[in-house]
Amino acid sequence: MPSVSSNAARPVPQQERAARTRSLFLDTAEKLFVEVGYDATTMTAVAERANTSIGALYRWFPDKAALGSALMLRYSQEIEKHWAPVLAAAARVPTPEFAAMMIETTMDFFRERPAFFVLREAPIKRYRAPAARQNLREAFARAFRSRKAGPVARSRVRDRKRRNRHHERLSGWRCFCSP
């Protein structure tokens, strides 16, 4: 149940130790979400597994939903980093290879982060800034526009020419056979 009395706006870690503690909570929650599921994971279990106090956990996350949202934000940033080299290579590789690279990179990410699917089904708010979504869409659009025409694209041109010749022959037969 979401916390009503706690302040939803949490501080950003200023020191390395604080950042490590916050990251420890996210890593611990991620493992628990995979092991026991989102619903069965409790804030107390996260604090105990991280060997910290519950107060330290609540300092960074007011409730389990905030913890899940922070993990989803982390995942969205990580997957963009995974995609960056593939998007950069789009202009140099044929379309089928580009598509295979995108799929493989995405599957690798999901294998590394199995809690992603647990959190996709969890009743938490997911928020990404519209500008961040737009930037990613534009990166994909640039990648697809710049991709190199590969053997599949060339064979489509060949197939279109063959199909046009075939239609021309059929048209001739229709003229020949028509009364």
Side-chain angles (χ1 to χ4, degrees), residues 50-140:
N51 292 320
T52 62
S53 69
I54 191 77
L57 176 59
Y58 278 114
R59 171 171 168 62
W60 298 109
F61 305 101
D63 52 29
K64 184 169 59 172
L67 198 53
S69 294
L71 265 175
M72 287 301 283
L73 179 62
R74 176 196 263 187
Y75 292 160
S76 67
Q77 293 166 346
E78 285 179 7
I79 200 162
E80 287 181 26
K81 288 178 185 172
H82 275 72
W83 284 334
V86 178
L87 292 172
R92 298 184 307 272
V93 298
T95 303
E97 188 178 335
F98 173 67
M101 288 169 60
M102 283 300 296
I103 291 168
E104 189 59 37
T105 301
T106 304
M107 294 305 297
D108 287 345
F109 174 79
F110 291 145
R111 279 186 219 108
E112 293 170 16
R113 300 297 190 191
F116 175 83
F117 292 108
V118 174
L119 291 171
R120 288 294 299 170
E121 300 301 317
I124 59 174
K125 280 188 174 182
R126 292 170 207 49
Y127 176 77
R128 284 200 65 209
R133 284 194 304 262
Q134 185 62 30
N135 288 342
L136 187 59
R137 286 184 186 127
E138 289 172 3
F140 274 102

